[in-house]
Amino acid sequence: MKRLLTGLLVAAVSTAATACTSQRPTPEDCAHGVAVIWSSEQAKPTHVELWDQQGRRASIEADVQGVFATAEFSGEQPSQWFASNGNTFHDQTNISRLDRTTCSVHSHRTKEAGAFGVAEVNDHVVLSHLSLGDRTWLEVYSQTGELITTYQTGRDAPDTLAPSEKELMTFTTEASEISNSLEASYGPMRILTLGVQDSYREKSRIDISAALNLPAASNGATDATVIENTVYFAVPHLDNQDVSPILDETRSALSVADLSTGEITEIPLEQDVPYQVEQHEGMLYVAHTYLNPALREFEEYRYISRVDPATRQVETFDVGPRLKKIAFSEGLLYVLHNDAVEPPVLEVYDPGTMEKLASHELTAPTGGHYYIGAIGLGLPAEKSG
């Protein structure tokens, strides 16, 4: 395990914002940084804060509530889209895009409420929906919020989405049959590959459970990323919601699927519960955390694995307790520490050396029960400077 270097220029823990906090942000304010999205199911607006190594650059309001995720994206080109589900009853779902040139957020209400996942692929925004029985589906929207098509996945309930340039990989877990029996009846985990340029028709499917000899479980992959024709994904934990026979198993491997052959292998990791997978300059970064439900005290979630997909070499870094989320922007790694008890902290790292460059304490907006719904909406490294 690596001991992290602490740079001489580490920023002081900061609750103050930059000069833009007291005035309307400018396009220059919005030209850099990663987004920390504060949202609430009890109040509007959502606050999209942009942070970089020096501190907070801008705060932009969005007329939505209940943000739950930024969009999954292809390769290293981050998406500027995020999604929200409204109030505590999930009364309305919106897809929203950060416009950095105007320092504004454009939102579109979707046809159905209660989305589960979101991705951007081929200039489309895709939402996944879950329901009881065999009613699970994907919705595909244009950049202007128009519904283009839907794809019914039946009992294959989408866990996570992983886009490439021409395809959308949908990780699914077959939902259990509605029965009075106490015996587990969950089906296998699968990867469904949909052709983006072919009206989102299914091209192939891979049975993850059979390939990895996994028992029937109610949960599945939590995150994935695609490099060329290979998808890297995380399955942190297996359970079956306490039905007989009880299953409760943490996992410590990064799974790898060759989309051309259907072969699935695994890269052993030094820590368990791999939850989030991101790529940067040909390397994979895996955050070891778990949010729903928490498997242990959040003080114990503190590790990031860096994986070389070519050699399968793994390095493990201790970034400190309460690890919740990671994101990249302009060549820097942003690490969010948050457990809803202590004040959240956003740290900035050099991903090549894993040297800590800055640390900023975050302050929630007032006027409602605000939480950090997501971080991301970054910029590629070539736009830095």
Side-chain angles (χ1 to χ4, degrees), residues 198-217:
D198 189 26
S199 300
Y200 291 84
R201 295 180 181 175
E202 183 178 320
K203 297 176 61 177
S204 65
R205 60 175 55 197
I206 301 172
D207 190 324
I208 299 173
S209 298
L212 298 180
N213 194 30
L214 298 179

Side-chain angles (χ1 to χ4, degrees), residues 143-225:
Q143 296 273 325
T144 56
E146 298 171 333
L147 180 62
I148 297 174
T149 188
T150 59
Y151 177 81
Q152 302 293 328
T153 59
R155 285 177 53 204
D156 287 308
D159 296 311
T160 193
L161 305 173
S164 66
E165 291 185 0
K166 298 181 180 180
E167 296 174 328
L168 177 66
M169 274 55 70
T170 304
F171 288 77
T172 67
T173 302
E174 186 174 310
S176 61
E177 296 178 354
I178 299 176
S179 170
N180 293 325
S181 172
L182 295 179
E183 296 299 314
S185 56
Y186 298 101
M189 285 183 268
R190 300 186 178 99
I191 304 174
L192 308 184
T193 300
L194 308 181
V196 173
Q197 297 176 335
D198 189 26
S199 300
Y200 291 84
R201 295 180 181 175
E202 183 178 320
K203 297 176 61 177
S204 65
R205 60 175 55 197
I206 301 172
D207 190 324
I208 299 173
S209 298
L212 298 180
N213 194 30
L214 298 179
S218 61
N219 52 351
T222 54
D223 200 18
T225 190

Side-chain angles (χ1 to χ4, degrees), residues 76-299:
E76 295 187 19
Q77 178 67 47
S79 173
Q80 300 300 298
W81 287 90
F82 59 95
S84 56
N85 275 330
N87 62 22
T88 54
F89 299 100
H90 292 179
D91 63 327
Q92 63 175 267
T93 295
N94 284 272
I95 51 174
S96 303
R97 180 177 61 85
L98 171 63
D99 186 339
R100 289 177 177 264
T101 62
T102 62
C103 281
S104 60
V105 172
H106 306 283
S107 298
H108 307 281
R109 186 169 178 173
T110 63
K111 180 181 178 181
E112 297 279 356
F116 182 77
V118 57
E120 181 181 6
V121 54
N122 194 34
D123 292 329
H124 297 156
V125 181
V126 180
L127 294 174
S128 62
H129 290 269
L130 306 181
S131 188
L132 294 175
D134 60 358
R135 188 170 181 260
T136 62
W137 73 99
L138 304 177
E139 289 181 341
V140 183
Y141 287 88
S142 70
Q143 296 273 325
T144 56
E146 298 171 333
L147 180 62
I148 297 174
T149 188
T150 59
Y151 177 81
Q152 302 293 328
T153 59
R155 285 177 53 204
D156 287 308
D159 296 311
T160 193
L161 305 173
S164 66
E165 291 185 0
K166 298 181 180 180
E167 296 174 328
L168 177 66
M169 274 55 70
T170 304
F171 288 77
T172 67
T173 302
E174 186 174 310
S176 61
E177 296 178 354
I178 299 176
S179 170
N180 293 325
S181 172
L182 295 179
E183 296 299 314
S185 56
Y186 298 101
M189 285 183 268
R190 300 186 178 99
I191 304 174
L192 308 184
T193 300
L194 308 181
V196 173
Q197 297 176 335
D198 189 26
S199 300
Y200 291 84
R201 295 180 181 175
E202 183 178 320
K203 297 176 61 177
S204 65
R205 60 175 55 197
I206 301 172
D207 190 324
I208 299 173
S209 298
L212 298 180
N213 194 30
L214 298 179
S218 61
N219 52 351
T222 54
D223 200 18
T225 190
V226 182
I227 299 179
E228 295 180 348
N229 208 37
T230 303
V231 59
Y232 300 85
F233 63 98
V235 181
H237 179 239
L238 298 174
D239 71 58
N240 58 6
Q241 298 184 356
D242 295 331
V243 297
S244 179
I246 293 175
L247 174 67
D248 185 7
E249 174 186 327
T250 61
R251 306 188 73 252
S252 54
L254 180 65
S255 301
V256 184
D258 185 324
L259 297 175
S260 60
T261 66
E263 180 185 16
I264 296 182
T265 57
E266 292 198 300
I267 301 175
L269 302 173
E270 296 173 341
Q271 298 294 325
D272 66 352
V273 197
Y275 185 80
Q276 183 186 359
V277 186
E278 303 293 338
Q279 61 172 286
H280 177 69
E281 294 186 347
M283 302 291 283
L284 298 167
Y285 292 76
V286 182
H288 295 262
T289 184
Y290 202 68
L291 307 181
N292 188 24
L295 300 178
R296 52 180 65 105
E297 295 296 323
F298 261 94
E299 291 289 319

Side-chain angles (χ1 to χ4, degrees), residues 4-6 10-11 13 34 36 51-53 302 304 318-323 325-328 332-338 344-350 354-362 375:
L4 294 183
L5 300 174
T6 302
V10 171
V13 172
V34 73
V36 176
W51 289 79
D52 65 8
Q53 186 175 337
R302 57 189 307 136
I304 293 177
D318 185 343
V319 296
R322 305 185 299 127
L323 172 63
K325 192 81 172 178
I326 63 175
F328 284 92
L332 297 176
L333 169 63
Y334 291 82
V335 178
L336 175 66
H337 301 266
N338 187 26
V345 173
L346 183 67
E347 295 179 337
V348 188
Y349 287 84
D350 179 332
M354 287 301 291
E355 176 184 5
K356 188 192 297 185
L357 304 176
S359 182
H360 307 292
E361 185 174 300
L362 309 179
I375 69 169

